[in-house]
Amino acid sequence: METAGRVQTAFSIGRKRKNRRSILEMTVIYVLIAGCSFVFMVPFLWMVSAALQSDTYTLGGQWFRQFLWTNFEQAFSQQDFQFLSALKNTVFYTVFGTIFFIVSSLLIAYGFSFFRFPYRNKLFFFLLATMMIPSTVMFIPNYVMFADWGWTGTYLPLLIPALGGGPGTIFLLRQFMLTLSISLFESAKMDGAGALTILWRIVLPNIKAPLIMVIIQQVNGHWSEFFGPLMYVGNDAATRTLSVALSTFNRVFYVQWSYIMCVALFMALIPVILYFVSQRFLMQDFVISAAEK
């Protein structure tokens, strides 16, 4: 009995030490995470501060000395900026560019996953090889080609290539599709389901997580893209996007930082909102996938 009591006491002491050590480790981890998060939040806080005060305080290195909410109204109502027109063009480019890219990438990945045709593996290898070509190398040939076709000044050079999808996205979706059980497709075929029905009712519900991640990536990319719209569409007030319209606040002798930060803050909120809205669906899908495995 005395030996058993000693063993029990030693076990209790060891468990308490282990609990203390784990609490200390978690505290250190949370402190490090909070510190790193604060470092990454500094640029965002500076942007908020610059948007809410005059440029005098911002250029003087002072933060949150004023809270001028009228800066947003003044920035969006600038005649040179044309906020509503730029917002409409940005939404148009983001929505259709994302839809074209996602649908085409999904169909191509589906074809490479479950259809059998000659030279399938060689074509897929050639598709992956195009990932090694930097996009900047192809810019001048593409621009010359689109200019000869008369597409410059429109959104066609930005939207039509999206119908070819992206090799990285195709590879990602294909790898997730290959993890699905082949018995699901065989059962669906026996029940008379066609290829598009199988894609819609079997494949899509099982690849929601990677699909949502790709959608978020594409929305963020199209929403904030600057180089493509500037080169192909131009800086015309009727067709330019928000990112290009920001250049109107760069005057000849000065820069209106408060107006730039107001619009930049507005543009940053859209991806943040999209992330928080889709986070719940991402977590649900990951939890369900982990539980099934």
Side-chain angles (χ1 to χ4, degrees), residues 254-273:
Y254 65 97
V255 179
Q256 293 175 293
W257 289 109
S258 59
Y259 292 172
I260 291 179
M261 292 302 109
C262 286
V263 180
L265 184 61
F266 171 79
M267 295 184 65
L269 288 178
I270 302 302
V272 171
I273 293 173

Side-chain angles (χ1 to χ4, degrees), residues 10 43 48 60 76 83 118 135 149 179 199 210 240 247 252 255 280 282:
V48 175
F76 295 153
F83 170 72
S135 58
W149 292 353
T179 60
L199 174 63
R240 66 191 178 195
S247 61
V252 177
V255 179
R280 179 169 60 89
L282 280 173

